[in-house]
Amino acid sequence: MLAAGRQALVLVPEINLTPRLMQEFSERFPDTPLLSMHSGLADGERTQHWLQAQDGAAAIVLGTRLQFSFPCPGWR
């Protein structure tokens, strides 16, 4: 999926797991841009992450259920 230039959405069941999963994904995919989307982000940070996901700047997006309301062009 990533090799084809698409984005991947990884659903995180609980916001508290996000930091650990971000660490694991950044170690597993060191050259792949990733970001997180969840309700714990400040409004400006959430907007910045959303814009990066929309622009395709982030290949991997980790998100809670909140992420379902933010479609990205690289998702199929």
Side-chain angles (χ1 to χ4, degrees):
M1 177 183 263
L2 296 175
R6 293 186 180 164
Q7 292 174 299
L9 170 62
V10 179
L11 293 177
V12 180
E14 184 177 322
I15 193 172
N16 294 334
L17 297 175
T18 304
R20 188 177 86 202
L21 288 173
M22 287 289 290
Q23 178 67 33
E24 289 180 22
F25 272 83
S26 65
E27 290 172 2
R28 175 70 171 97
F29 303 100
D31 298 323
T32 305
L34 62 131
L35 58 83
S36 63
M37 291 289 297
H38 54 78
S39 62
L41 298 173
D43 290 341
E45 190 176 20
R46 188 178 313 122
T47 300
Q48 181 181 17
H49 286 200
W50 181 81
L51 290 171
Q52 289 174 345
Q54 284 290 311
D55 291 343
I60 301 174
V61 179
L62 280 79
T64 57
R65 292 179 305 201
L66 169 70
Q67 186 58 38
F68 277 123
S69 62
F70 298 107
C72 292
W75 297 350
R76 305 257 189 259

